[in-house]
């Protein structure tokens, strides 16, 4: 899980179409869900919230970039 998150974080950071700030909470969520989860339930929840923030930013960016189909004339 941690290695995959690091790879996805790199893709998010380098993507010209997605906001780079989403890479930071995405990377931090991996540490909250893998390394800190056995020690603290609060950090596990924080990891989930960070994943939600990153996913919302990515969704907003994709939604903003798409336009509704226009009927052909």
């Amino acid at each position: 899980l941690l290695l995959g998150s690091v790879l996805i974080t790199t893709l998010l950071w380098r993507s010209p179409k997605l906001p780079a700030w989403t890479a930071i909470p995405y990377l931090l969520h991996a540490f909250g869900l893998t390394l800190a989860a056995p020690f603290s339930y609060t950090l596990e929840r924080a990891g989930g919230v960070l994943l939600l923030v990153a996913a919302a930013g990515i969704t907003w960016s994709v939604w903003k970039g798409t336009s509704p189909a226009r009927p052909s004339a």
Side-chain angles (χ1 to χ4, degrees):
L1 180 68
L2 192 58
L3 179 61
S5 293
V6 169
L7 293 174
I8 291 174
T9 299
T10 305
L11 293 174
L12 287 172
W13 189 262
R14 293 183 179 184
S15 173
K17 297 189 182 243
L18 297 175
W21 66 265
T22 58
I24 296 167
Y26 193 84
L27 180 64
L28 293 176
H29 106 273
F31 292 108
L33 290 180
T34 57
L35 300 177
F39 304 113
S40 172
Y41 187 65
T42 304
L43 291 176
E44 185 179 7
R45 290 282 183 155
V49 170
L50 288 170
L51 180 59
L52 180 67
V53 168
I58 293 167
T59 303
W60 176 75
S61 173
V62 170
W63 193 348
K64 184 179 75 165
T66 59
S67 60
R70 295 183 183 173
S72 301

